[in-house]
Amino acid sequence: MTRSSSFAVVAALSLVLVSTACTPADHAQDEQDLRQLVKAQTEAWNAHDATAWTRDFADDADFINIVGTVFQGRAEIETRHAAIFASIFKASHAEVTVRKIRFPSEDTAVVDTTHEVTGHTGLPPGVQNTEEGLLRTQMRYVLKRTQKQWRIVAGQNTDVKPVPKPVP
């Protein structure tokens, strides 16, 4: 093998290795796992089960609720949800749609969902239905994979305001 052909082989192999290293990871199984997590959480909401709803939060997770209150740690998030499941959201039903899943790094995911909640008997101060009888919110979760399991490390829920009525 000549020196120039050896160089060509090394260069070609280097390109293959670099392109393989830069290829985004296949996250098909991760997406499936994250969609299952959202599904299980939706089922827990509809069962009004705060323990099950918070099961996938990390122990030190932060959650910003619909009115901007920050809850720190899974225990506090669970306590707050137990309170709303026993009161204004006691008979509520949620339909949740995953809008987008991104992977900023191999073991980090951002999941955006839309929640449509009906059957509630009231809403927190400052929150209003998006449409008659329907509260729509946008939820964003940041998740980290630890020991092959996804955990929510941060979440934020934002209500979608109703469309303003036309000015006469």
Side-chain angles (χ1 to χ4, degrees):
M1 189 180 286
T2 67
R3 185 174 186 182
S4 62
S5 62
S6 294
F7 177 76
V9 169
V10 169
L13 284 172
S14 296
L15 284 174
V16 168
L17 291 173
V18 168
S19 68
T20 303
C22 295
T23 301
D26 179 13
H27 287 288
Q29 183 61 53
D30 294 327
E31 284 199 32
Q32 185 178 344
D33 293 345
L34 292 166
R35 288 178 187 280
Q36 180 56 42
L37 184 151
V38 169
K39 181 180 178 200
Q41 193 180 52
T42 303
E43 291 168 354
W45 179 283
N46 291 332
H48 311 105
D49 183 341
T51 301
W53 194 84
T54 57
R55 181 190 72 210
D56 293 307
F57 280 85
D59 289 339
D60 62 347
D62 287 333
F63 182 76
I64 302 171
N65 76 357
I66 197 168
V67 297
T69 304
V70 178
F71 299 108
Q72 296 180 321
R74 182 174 56 216
E76 187 176 6
I77 298 165
E78 181 180 338
T79 298
R80 177 60 184 143
H81 281 81
I84 64 172
F85 289 153
S87 59
I88 60 175
F89 291 109
K90 187 177 191 172
S92 67
H93 180 81
E95 295 287 332
V96 180
T97 304
V98 174
R99 288 187 306 105
K100 188 175 187 179
I101 299 175
R102 298 184 297 293
F103 296 94
S105 69
E106 184 62 27
D107 292 323
T108 305
V110 178
V111 178
D112 291 325
T113 60
T114 301
H115 294 234
E116 294 190 337
V117 181
T118 57
H120 46 283
T121 58
L123 292 171
V127 176
Q128 55 189 320
N129 279 323
T130 309
E131 299 172 16
E132 186 65 36
L134 172 70
L135 172 64
R136 184 174 295 119
T137 72
Q138 301 296 331
M139 182 85 76
R140 172 167 287 168
Y141 284 138
V142 177
L143 299 99
K144 180 154 182 55
R145 182 184 10 230
T146 56
Q147 300 163 349
K148 298 188 180 195
Q149 190 170 16
W150 289 101
R151 289 282 181 228
I152 301 165
V153 296
Q156 180 161 355
N157 193 13
T158 306
D159 60 324
V160 176
K161 303 295 183 203
V163 175
K165 296 187 187 321
V167 178

